[in-house]
Amino acid sequence: MSVKGYMVFLVVMSTFLTVSCGDSVPAGNATSMTGSIIVGEVDWVEVTTFDSESEIRKNSKAVADVQFANGGRCTGFFVSDDVLMTNEHCVGSASDVVGMKVFMKHEKGVPESEYAEVKCNEFIGNDVTLDYALVKCEGSPGQRYGKVTLETTQAVEGDSIYIIQQNCDYYSDYNCNWNKKVSEGKVVGVETDVFYDADTLGGSSGSPVFNADSDKVFAIHHAGYGGGWTGRGIKNAAVPMSKIVPHMQANFPSVLADSGDSSDDGSTTPSQDNNTFETAAELESGDSFKAEIESSQEMDFYKVEMKAGEVLDFEIKFSHAQGDLDFVVYKKVGGSFKVVSRKQSSTDDERVRLRVSTSKTYYVKVYGYRGATAEYEVKFKK
């Protein structure tokens, strides 16, 4: 947690209300404030257990592991192309973002060297009462990894929800890895906060709480009740977006200006895991967006329906100094994929202009030469 988070402790009606930002250490360390809110048996699961096409898996891409210079940590999520939201008790002031690190791919099976760090070092603002904070990040990581959709629908008791968070049960295993996880549950009460029985612990502060029916974020997790320092409690609590969104619109209106699904030029960044022919992202003429090859094993696939006589004009723009990228164009013939063109050079950018002779589905595979990684921009027209 942030420096401020070390000082938060509230007692409400003889039960502990524990703000859940914290270090990955068991209770007993007098300087660490942890959220004692696993309800019953631990039921969270690794986000990687969900199919790549599931809405939970897609939404998980926007969730980040936020680590602070003082050794504390929280969870955050992108609400626009370049704005990360977390709790105010995590980021209480501009000083808390100094040395802060944000990782997008801290997931099971991903080596630490490929956690995909993004730089978020500009404090936008926060609100103590609503316990939320906004930080601006470099580039457009929300386009690259995804951003959530906020909804202001009022929760009712019995609603199904899920929380995507960076955590693990360090009360049971001191050395556990706080990979990105999903905990499902139900709303158990609605007052000033929304209460639910999904699991969290210290480090989950700032996690998005999704309505399981709409797959939109209707609250931000920030606390839990009961259990004292045992790591177990009776319920968790979140601040509803029905309160936060109006406050953002009044005080930080530019943040929500680009929170839709489209980039500034009107084209849409693929939100799916387009790493196979089967999950290739579909292109439309005029598309222009940013993407990235983040690991030596990663490949990005795109597809487009072409008619005989049309020109397939596909380009990737990148810096060769950052990493050499290449691509291959295929057409699907029966159940197989036939190579139509290869673009491989040792300079910046790669482009193909190809007049197709038959009406087919064409595919493009973008990859790094000898495991290279780099950011790139896709430009396509026909």
Side-chain angles (χ1 to χ4, degrees):
M1 63 183 165
S2 65
V3 174
K4 185 174 182 179
Y6 279 92
M7 303 175 65
V8 178
F9 187 75
L10 300 175
V11 178
V12 180
M13 296 182 295
S14 300
T15 59
F16 288 97
L17 167 60
T18 310
V19 176
S20 61
C21 177
D23 289 321
S24 176
V25 294
N29 180 343
T31 65
S32 176
M33 187 64 121
T34 58
S36 49
I37 0 284
I38 286 178
V39 181
E41 298 296 322
V42 181
D43 68 354
W44 54 32
V45 296
E46 302 288 347
V47 72
T48 51
T49 63
F50 290 85
D51 183 87
S52 62
E53 291 302 300
S54 73
E55 292 302 318
I56 290 179
R57 188 71 173 107
K58 291 177 182 179
N59 280 329
S60 75
K61 300 298 183 181
V63 178
D65 172 16
V66 183
Q67 301 181 23
F68 298 96
N70 64 14
R73 62 182 179 83
C74 285
T75 301
F77 54 99
F78 278 97
V79 296
S80 72
D81 290 344
D82 60 0
V83 177
L84 183 82
M85 179 183 286
T86 188
N87 282 147
E88 181 276 339
H89 74 258
C90 297
V91 178
S93 67
S95 64
D96 289 324
V97 304
V98 177
M100 184 178 81
K101 294 181 180 295
V102 176
F103 300 97
M104 302 308 300
K105 298 183 71 174
H106 185 168
E107 302 173 0
K108 185 176 182 180
V110 177
E112 188 172 352
S113 61
E114 297 178 7
Y115 279 178
E117 181 178 359
V118 298
K119 296 187 182 301
C120 302
N121 50 26
E122 182 180 338
F123 177 70
I124 295 175
N126 60 19
D127 185 78
V128 175
T129 302
L130 299 177
D131 199 7
Y132 82 95
L134 302 170
V135 182
K136 189 170 184 177
C137 306
E138 295 182 8
S140 298
Q143 286 191 24
R144 188 182 317 147
Y145 300 103
K147 53 194 174 187
V148 304
T149 300
L150 305 179
E151 75 172 13
T152 56
T153 302
Q154 298 283 353
V156 297
E157 191 168 338
D159 280 351
S160 295
I161 61 102
Y162 60 89
I163 303 173
I164 302 176
Q165 59 197 298
Q166 301 282 167
N167 225 327
C168 61
D169 185 8
Y170 45 80
Y171 283 87
S172 300
D173 179 4
Y174 181 90
N175 295 311
C176 66
N177 192 325
W178 60 91
N179 296 322
K180 195 175 296 184
K181 293 180 175 64
V182 178
S183 182
E184 298 177 275
K186 290 188 179 297
V187 173
V188 297
V190 180
E191 297 176 13
T192 302
D193 280 353
V194 178
F195 303 107
Y196 39 88
D197 59 6
D199 293 335
T200 70
L201 276 180
S204 299
S205 282
S207 299
V209 183
F210 290 86
N211 180 323
D213 292 325
S214 67
D215 293 297
K216 297 178 181 179
V217 175
F218 74 95
I220 181 171
H221 170 75
H222 77 139
Y225 284 83
W229 300 97
T230 67
R232 301 297 186 266
I234 58 174
K235 61 183 177 181
N236 284 292
V239 182
M241 288 297 158
S242 59
K243 298 179 179 180
I244 292 176
V245 169
H247 188 275
M248 290 174 64
Q249 291 171 331
N251 295 276
F252 315 109
S254 63
V255 171
L256 296 178
D258 69 339
S259 61
D261 295 328
S262 298
S263 58
D264 290 341
D265 60 7
S267 57
T268 301
T269 303
S271 60
Q272 65 189 92
D273 289 341
N274 58 321
N275 54 4
T276 66
F277 282 109
E278 290 72 21
T279 60
E282 190 164 357
L283 297 176
E284 298 290 343
S285 185
D287 276 353
S288 176
F289 53 83
K290 294 179 180 179
E292 183 176 9
I293 297 296
E294 300 178 83
S295 72
S296 58
Q297 292 80 35
E298 184 175 354
M299 295 177 288
D300 289 344
F301 287 80
Y302 304 96
K303 68 179 180 180
V304 59
E305 300 295 330
M306 300 291 296
K307 295 180 180 179
E310 291 184 326
V311 175
L312 190 159
D313 189 343
F314 181 89
E315 181 179 18
I316 55 173
K317 301 181 71 66
F318 62 93
S319 169
H320 184 271
Q322 181 186 8
D324 184 17
L325 302 183
D326 299 311
F327 69 78
V328 181
V329 181
Y330 303 82
K331 67 178 178 180
K332 191 170 185 179
V333 180
S336 61
F337 299 91
K338 179 180 178 181
V339 175
V340 176
S341 178
R342 296 181 185 271
K343 290 298 174 180
Q344 301 168 322
S345 71
S346 56
T347 60
D348 291 353
D349 307 339
E350 299 285 358
R351 183 182 184 184
V352 65
R353 295 188 78 254
L354 174 68
R355 188 175 298 278
V356 303
S357 59
T358 56
S359 298
K360 293 283 186 183
T361 302
Y362 287 77
Y363 294 78
V364 182
K365 178 180 72 176
V366 180
Y367 62 97
Y369 176 69
R370 292 187 175 179
T373 61
E375 297 178 357
Y376 67 96
E377 182 179 4
V378 169
K379 289 185 176 295
F380 170 73
K381 60 182 179 180
K382 62 178 179 178

